[in-house]
Amino acid sequence: MELLGTIKSIGDLETIRQLKKKTVLIKTPGEYGQEIPVEFLNKNIDLVNNLKVGDEVTIAINLRSNEYKGKYYINVAGWKIINRV
C-alpha cells in the first residue's frame, strides 16, 4: 500500500525494550484529509533522517494489527519512501 501526504511532524526516537521507532505524522490531501501516524521501526528509522516538516512524500506502508485483552489495535508501518516532491 502507499500513502501520499505532507509531513506535519516528526517524533523523537523512542526505545521500547529492543524496539526503536520514530513516528511521522502525515496529512493526506483533499477536503477531508486525515492525519495519519506512520511508524518507522528499527532499520527503517534511517529513512526518516532526511525528511522535514512540510515535505510531500509517498510512503510504502503495511497495516499491522494486534489484540490485547480483547481489544484490537492497528498500526501503520512505513518501510520505504517512494517519492519526495
Side-chain angles (χ1 to χ4, degrees), residues 3 7 9-16 19-26 36-51 57-62 64 75-84:
L3 178 65
I7 296 177
S9 68
I10 300 172
D12 294 329
L13 179 65
E14 297 178 53
T15 303
I16 305 164
L19 176 74
K20 294 180 187 217
K21 77 173 182 175
K22 258 191 180 180
T23 302
V24 177
L25 189 62
I26 304 293
I36 300 172
V38 179
E39 296 177 343
F40 288 84
L41 306 173
N42 296 325
K43 66 179 181 179
N44 293 327
I45 290 172
D46 291 339
L47 299 172
V48 177
N49 291 339
N50 295 322
L51 298 179
V57 294
T58 302
I59 300 174
I61 61 168
N62 289 331
R64 301 176 187 246
N75 300 73
V76 180
W79 55 273
K80 183 178 179 183
I81 306 294
I82 296 171
N83 188 20
R84 290 181 62 185

